[in-house]
């Protein structure tokens, strides 16, 4: 039965009262607050103020209260408040004025408005003023509890967003974004070995960010002002692999109308990153071994050796020891590459980094789409933290790209985060045209990265005319200069 002042008298036996709403929303966010939330109540009715305060305290909230709006607002300057509950109709200062003054002090503070004179126009006005919620007296304990739980969850999400933005600002310009101890240890190891000229071998699951680690090693080395050339050994057609890697001379084969220096010579004096090295054909493994041993290579059709000076970083998600044992990978080449081994942890091993990376991707996509998407709702954060991410950082990036695409403005909802293996929840597959467009963009990005933004080489590999390639690039908003010594967007931070 409703109390005369507007809400149900607390019943200690009711199911809703046996659970603490702010405890129910606790999730493994890296910076989730564990202290008791503080709620400020402003209402000119002393009896209502006392009764509401007693109920909130019984729910394990710390309560501040005032029957004077101006004095209540002063508490915001003195205390750390998580939620403001204010009456709408008060003689000294109405709730809308309190809301405006509170937002001036703390724009992210959620405010719940209460009134015994609730009307549709009041509600519309309140929500336009960006109140978090609106309750008309009389209201039930469950109604208030539900709204408080949601408001406090949003407050925690806002504070987490502030910490994420602070971390992103602090790490601006760094190659590897991280919060986790395991990645901090890897970053320290990168700094330690960067000055060496020895070959580095990276192992780790697909999508874990091996190329980003390789790029970080290059940027921390004395070769950082020289080229960084990334090559996916499994993505180059076998019939083109030798020419693309080692180059060719004019007339070496049909269609060789001019000299081609190849990707290895493109990295001269810099760093060559050979991703998925386990896919390199045995015949080319012999030629690569000579590059490492002698510092020379012979382009296809050439009669003389050419000197090259570079550092090689290689990587694979396969078991390189098994490949060596089976004879699929040369043992002598393995020992030349495997001088400094580094393991890149999977995303499941670095959960502290999930929200930081997600916010980075969201900010990037928001800017690209020209949308105002500040961050993730509590439900979206929960979903991000609970997902196993077998595809690692690459899967996370794709999920956030999708979420940004379906979020026109405001916070990303839980529903906007696609389920694992799905692209929206209603179907296991995206529309065919969407899939084609997504593949086209990814293909172009990989192609331009592999050729360092060289349109002629990219067009030749793709088997398309330069004009066609430029049309496709304009369609997807890609520019060649974005891929000249820029951070990669496939092997993510």
């Amino acid at each position: 039965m409703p109390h005369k002042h507007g809400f149900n008298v607390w019943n200690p036996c009711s199911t809703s009262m046996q659970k603490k709403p702010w405890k129910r929303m606790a999730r493994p966010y890296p910076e989730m607050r564990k202290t008791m939330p503080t709620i400020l109540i402003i209402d000119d009715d002393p009896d209502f103020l006392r009764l509401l305060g007693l109920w909130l305290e019984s729910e394990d909230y710390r309560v501040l209260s005032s029957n004077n709006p101006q004095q209540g607002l002063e508490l915001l300057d003195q205390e750390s408040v998580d939620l403001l509950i204010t009456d709408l109709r008060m003689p000294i200062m109405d709730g809308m004025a309190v809301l405006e003054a509170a937002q001036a002090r703390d724009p992210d503070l959620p405010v719940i408005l209460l009134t015994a004179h609730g009307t549709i126009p009041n509600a519309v006005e309140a929500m336009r003023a960006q109140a978090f919620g609106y309750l008309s007296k009389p209201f039930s304990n469950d109604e208030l509890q539900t709204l408080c739980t949601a408001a406090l969850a949003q407050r925690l999400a806002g504070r987490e967003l502030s910490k994420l933005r602070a971390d992103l600002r602090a790490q601006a310009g760094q190659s590897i974004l991280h919060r986790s101890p395991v990645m901090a240890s890897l970053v320290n190891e990168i700094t330690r070995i960067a000055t060496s000229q020895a070959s580095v071998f990276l192992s780790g699951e697909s999508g874990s960010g091996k190329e980003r680690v390789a790029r970080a090693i290059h940027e921390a080395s004395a070769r950082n002002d020289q080229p960084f050339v990334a090559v996916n050994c499994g993505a180059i057609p076998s019939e083109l692999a030798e020419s693309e890697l080692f180059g060719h001379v004019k007339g070496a084969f049909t269609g060789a109308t001019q000299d081609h220096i190849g990707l290895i010579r493109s990295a001269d004096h810099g760093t060559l990153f050979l991703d998925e090295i386990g896919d390199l054909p045995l015949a080319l493994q012999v030629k690569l071994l000579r590059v490492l041993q002698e510092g020379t290579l012979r382009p296809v059709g050439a009669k003389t050796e050419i000197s090259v000076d570079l550092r090689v970083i290689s990587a694979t998600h396969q078991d390189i020891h098994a490949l060596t044992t089976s004879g699929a990978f040369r043992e002598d080449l393995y020992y030349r590459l495997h001088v400094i081994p580094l393991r890149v942890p999977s995303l499941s091993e670095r959960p502290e980094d999930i929200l930081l990376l997600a916010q980075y991707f969201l900010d990037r996509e928001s800017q690209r789409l020209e949308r105002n998407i500040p961050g993730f709702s509590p439900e979206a954060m929960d979903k991000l933290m609970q997902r196993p991410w077998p595809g690692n950082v690459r899967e996370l990036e794709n999920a956030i790209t999708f979420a940004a695409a379906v979020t026109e403005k405001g916070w990303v909802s839980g529903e906007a985060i696609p389920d694992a293996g799905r692209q929206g929840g209603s179907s296991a597959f995206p529309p065919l045209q969407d899939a084609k467009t997504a593949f086209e963009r990814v293909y172009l990005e990989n192609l331009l990265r592999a050729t360092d933004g060289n349109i002629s080489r990219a067009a030749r590999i793709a088997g398309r005319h330069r004009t066609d390639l430029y049309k496709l690039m304009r369609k997807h908003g890609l520019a060649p200069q974005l891929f000249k010594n820029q951070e990669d967007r496939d092997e993510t931070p």
Side-chain angles (χ1 to χ4, degrees), residues 293-361:
Q293 288 178 331
E294 308 296 335
T296 61
L297 61 80
R298 180 177 294 179
V300 177
K303 297 181 180 180
T304 58
E305 298 278 340
I306 297 175
S307 296
V308 288
D309 170 30
L310 47 81
R311 184 183 195 178
V312 175
I313 302 175
S314 51
T316 184
H317 73 281
Q318 302 180 69
D319 185 344
I320 194 66
H321 298 287
L323 292 176
T324 303
T325 301
S326 68
F329 198 83
R330 293 182 62 96
E331 187 175 22
D332 48 4
L333 177 59
Y334 165 77
Y335 287 119
R336 283 285 180 178
L337 296 172
H338 202 269
V339 179
I340 301 178
L342 288 180
R343 179 178 175 275
V344 182
S346 63
L347 191 55
S348 62
E349 297 175 78
R350 44 186 289 210
E352 301 92 337
D353 297 336
I354 292 175
L355 294 182
L356 183 69
L357 294 173
Q359 189 63 50
Y360 169 81
F361 295 136

Side-chain angles (χ1 to χ4, degrees), residues 94-371:
D94 69 14
M96 297 300 289
V98 171
L99 171 63
E100 183 179 350
Q103 288 181 336
R105 288 171 166 82
D106 184 350
D108 297 323
L109 177 67
V111 178
I112 296 174
L113 293 172
L114 309 175
T115 182
H117 309 281
T119 63
I120 294 299
N122 288 149
V124 171
E125 185 182 3
M127 301 321 289
R128 282 178 177 170
Q130 297 186 347
F132 182 84
Y134 179 92
L135 282 177
S136 297
K137 301 175 184 177
F139 51 83
S140 68
N141 292 335
D142 284 342
E143 286 178 304
L144 180 60
Q145 184 186 79
T146 299
L147 203 52
C148 286
T149 299
L152 289 167
Q154 188 67 45
R155 178 63 159 174
L156 287 174
R159 285 183 167 162
E160 178 64 14
L161 174 61
S162 296
K163 293 186 175 78
L164 290 171
R165 293 214 182 284
D167 285 348
L168 288 173
R169 286 194 298 270
Q171 298 184 46
Q174 296 185 20
S175 296
I176 300 177
L177 300 175
H178 66 281
R179 281 176 156 183
S180 62
V182 66
M183 287 305 291
S185 176
L186 179 61
V187 170
N188 289 336
E189 188 69 10
I190 288 171
T191 302
R192 190 178 67 82
I193 62 101
T195 55
S196 169
Q197 297 302 310
S199 298
V200 179
F201 192 91
L202 304 176
S203 60
E205 295 179 6
S206 180
S208 57
K210 296 184 291 295
E211 181 170 338
R212 181 53 58 95
V213 172
R215 200 178 288 274
I217 295 171
H218 170 75
E219 290 173 355
S221 73
R223 297 176 181 265
N224 59 12
D225 59 343
Q226 297 298 322
F228 174 88
V229 177
V231 181
N232 188 323
C233 298
I236 304 176
S238 57
E239 63 274 15
L240 297 176
E242 184 176 12
S243 173
E244 283 301 309
L245 287 172
F246 297 91
H248 63 255
V249 298
K250 181 178 179 180
F253 50 82
T254 302
T257 57
Q258 59 185 5
D259 289 350
H260 173 52
I261 66 170
L263 294 170
I264 294 178
R265 285 177 64 197
S266 297
D268 196 19
H269 301 296
T271 302
L272 176 67
F273 174 57
L274 298 173
D275 196 10
E276 299 304 343
I277 187 69
D279 293 332
L280 191 67
L282 278 169
L284 298 188
Q285 291 179 27
V286 177
K287 296 194 68 170
L288 178 61
L289 180 63
R290 182 166 183 82
V291 173
L292 295 173
Q293 288 178 331
E294 308 296 335
T296 61
L297 61 80
R298 180 177 294 179
V300 177
K303 297 181 180 180
T304 58
E305 298 278 340
I306 297 175
S307 296
V308 288
D309 170 30
L310 47 81
R311 184 183 195 178
V312 175
I313 302 175
S314 51
T316 184
H317 73 281
Q318 302 180 69
D319 185 344
I320 194 66
H321 298 287
L323 292 176
T324 303
T325 301
S326 68
F329 198 83
R330 293 182 62 96
E331 187 175 22
D332 48 4
L333 177 59
Y334 165 77
Y335 287 119
R336 283 285 180 178
L337 296 172
H338 202 269
V339 179
I340 301 178
L342 288 180
R343 179 178 175 275
V344 182
S346 63
L347 191 55
S348 62
E349 297 175 78
R350 44 186 289 210
E352 301 92 337
D353 297 336
I354 292 175
L355 294 182
L356 183 69
L357 294 173
Q359 189 63 50
Y360 169 81
F361 295 136
L362 182 63
D363 288 346
R364 187 190 72 194
E365 289 304 305
S366 298
Q367 183 177 8
R368 186 178 69 83
L369 296 170
E370 298 182 347
R371 295 179 181 175

